[in-house]
Amino acid sequence: MAPVILVLGGVGFIGRNFIAYIIDNNLVDHVRVADKALPATAYLSDKHKKVFDDKRVEFKQANLTNTAAVEKIFTRDDGKEFDYVFNLAAETKYGQSDEVYDERTFQLSVAVAKEAAKRKVKVFVEVSTAQVYESDKKPSAEEGKLKPWTAIAKSKLKAEEELKKISGLNLVILRPAIVYGWGDVYGITPRLIMGAVYRQLNEKMELLWTKDLKMNTVHVDDVARALWHVAATKEEKGGRTRPVTAAEIYNLADKTDTDQGKVNQHIQAIFGIDTGFQGTMISQFAKLNLESVTEDVNDKHLQPWSELCKAAGVTNTPLTPYLDKELLKDNALSVDGSKIEKELGFTYTVPQLTEQELRKVVEEFVASNMWPKGTTK
């Protein structure tokens, strides 16, 4: 019999693509999706709207920072327990206060994991981030040095450590690189929007640092597949009737070894603009004045984007070229995503970041009227 699963934070970027994957591939008879955001207001594409309308998908609105709400979400009508629980619920917006990340990421993860352990859920999958590793040119493997460099990553790592201590929790942790694909708002998409802005301004797009700054990537379709793959494999190793095995950790990163230079090449091709880099000296100066530099950068991009949207009749969009100062620093994201292949037989179906894949992101946003038409070459 197909497993019955619970997906927390299932309306978000990774969540909606994961729900689409399990429904399209008939992997479940029933999935309960819990999220504080309603599907109707979450900028779903037509494809994802259909997925959430599928009779196998049950949506419940819930604030998972509330203990009573967590208990309620885990309680099935038939009195049985969920087989797999996937935690994708977290604060993903940059630039929030430490208190916000503590409540919406750390405390939330611990609360839902404890509930899963109490109910002896077969497998609990926690989605973390590869930003927990020390910024280094050399790819970080799972046992690499941990030194989180964003506030999101700090709260995620704290949650990981706490989850490992929970008795009876059959835990898998995934640490993806920058996730891109349809629905991405905070990953590669702000740079794509900047490409559209510089085409409009008829100017060269010059970024801080150099072309070699690593920003490794993974396609959301592969993240969705990996979520299911690790849960199914973990259950084979030790389900509810067998002893709980130690937490397993897997990175997710494609084969591109993506850096700023490679992303810029694709942006050049998609928008027909020139791109370049400020170099280390100017960038070091910017780093010392990051607050004002960030403000200037965002001021330059926000107005033209707003005008582009207005002229094209795009009145409602989650998309913005806004970049938080955490992302303007010279932190390299270099990740070795091969362990999941070697140990679990997983394969990446989108092994390369290509111009075509990035064009698809833009085209799907255009089709959903969230991106102005006619901005690409």
Side-chain angles (χ1 to χ4, degrees):
M1 213 170 96
V4 178
I5 71 168
L6 172 61
V7 183
L8 308 167
V11 174
F13 165 43
I14 294 173
R16 65 187 65 180
N17 285 285
F18 179 51
I19 304 300
Y21 173 70
I22 57 177
I23 293 300
D24 290 349
N25 290 281
N26 296 313
L27 296 171
V28 294
D29 295 326
H30 179 80
V31 50
R32 176 178 288 177
V33 180
D35 205 304
K36 67 177 187 294
L38 290 164
T41 59
Y43 299 102
L44 296 183
S45 65
D46 289 343
K47 177 195 166 177
H48 288 138
K49 281 176 192 163
K50 273 187 202 141
V51 166
F52 276 83
D53 285 340
D54 190 285
K55 64 180 188 302
R56 289 165 287 179
V57 179
E58 173 200 14
F59 174 78
K60 285 194 181 289
Q61 189 177 27
N63 176 5
L64 297 168
T65 59
N66 177 306
T67 316
V70 170
E71 205 170 306
K72 207 171 162 190
I73 283 300
F74 272 80
T75 306
R76 278 171 56 180
D77 300 338
D78 60 8
K80 293 177 182 174
E81 300 299 349
F82 289 100
D83 296 302
Y84 307 157
V85 175
F86 299 87
N87 183 31
L88 304 164
E91 180 54 67
T92 52
K93 199 175 182 184
Y94 291 95
Q96 307 299 297
S97 68
D98 289 347
E99 291 76 19
V100 165
Y101 295 121
D102 187 66
E103 183 190 37
R104 296 184 195 167
T105 299
F106 172 68
Q107 290 179 34
L108 185 155
S109 286
V110 174
V112 296
K114 280 182 173 170
E115 193 65 28
K118 189 172 93 183
R119 292 170 181 269
K120 298 185 169 57
V121 163
K122 286 180 188 172
V123 186
F124 182 88
V125 182
E126 170 80 3
V127 177
S128 185
T129 168
Q131 292 171 353
V132 297
Y133 295 112
E134 183 176 39
S135 165
D136 196 354
K137 282 179 189 167
K138 255 182 35 221
S140 295
E142 286 75 359
E143 58 287 340
K145 189 176 176 188
L146 299 170
K147 193 181 175 186
W149 47 270
T150 62
I152 288 173
K154 283 171 192 161
S155 62
K156 275 289 182 192
L157 183 59
K158 196 176 155 197
E160 283 188 29
E161 297 307 327
E162 204 56 37
L163 264 54
K164 287 177 193 171
K165 298 175 196 165
I166 298 172
S167 172
L169 186 68
N170 216 7
L171 173 66
V172 185
I173 295 166
L174 291 179
R175 292 175 178 161
I178 297 169
V179 186
Y180 74 98
W182 161 243
D184 160 36
V185 175
Y186 303 122
I188 302 282
T189 299
R191 290 173 187 250
L192 293 173
I193 295 170
M194 282 160 59
V197 165
Y198 280 95
R199 180 181 169 92
Q200 170 77 357
L201 294 171
N202 199 20
E203 287 179 28
K204 184 177 183 180
M205 179 173 110
E206 288 193 296
L207 302 180
L208 289 175
W209 310 110
T210 65
K211 68 179 177 57
D212 302 317
L213 184 65
K214 299 288 185 197
M215 44 181 298
N216 285 186
T217 48
V218 61
H219 196 282
V220 71
D221 288 355
D222 282 328
V223 178
R225 289 175 52 258
L227 280 162
W228 187 261
H229 193 88
V230 295
T233 316
K234 180 83 167 171
E235 190 196 351
E236 282 168 27
K237 286 185 185 175
R240 198 179 281 138
T241 54
R242 304 184 199 114
V244 170
T245 52
E248 289 174 24
I249 299 173
Y250 298 100
N251 292 339
L252 296 175
D254 61 32
K255 313 289 183 191
T256 316
D257 192 22
T258 312
D259 55 29
Q260 285 204 127
K262 287 173 184 169
V263 174
N264 270 19
Q265 277 175 355
H266 295 321
I267 289 173
Q268 280 191 189
I270 294 166
F271 299 100
I273 59 169
D274 285 335
T275 67
F277 297 92
Q278 302 280 10
T280 312
M281 215 164 91
I282 293 175
S283 301
Q284 285 293 1
F285 172 76
K287 196 176 181 177
L288 297 173
N289 303 275
L290 209 53
E291 206 73 52
S292 65
V293 168
T294 306
E295 213 171 288
D296 292 346
V297 164
N298 287 319
D299 281 351
K300 174 157 186 154
H301 302 149
L302 288 165
Q303 189 63 34
W305 174 246
S306 170
E307 285 164 7
L308 268 172
C309 289
K310 199 175 167 188
V314 175
T315 52
N316 206 4
T317 178
L319 303 178
T320 168
Y322 181 86
L323 283 174
D324 188 77
K325 64 177 184 285
E326 285 190 306
L327 299 178
L328 289 176
K329 292 178 184 170
D330 56 335
N331 287 311
L333 186 71
S334 187
V335 189
D336 179 350
S338 63
K339 178 185 168 186
I340 191 170
E341 297 176 292
K342 292 170 194 158
E343 291 193 5
L344 301 186
F346 179 76
T347 49
Y348 292 94
T349 54
V350 190
Q352 297 293 331
L353 176 83
T354 62
E355 179 195 332
Q356 186 191 5
E357 284 299 338
L358 291 179
R359 273 191 186 274
K360 259 193 230 172
V361 174
V362 176
E363 284 159 7
E364 283 167 332
F365 277 129
V366 170
S368 301
N369 200 34
M370 295 176 210
W371 185 301
K373 283 180 184 154
T375 59
T376 56
K377 191 177 159 191

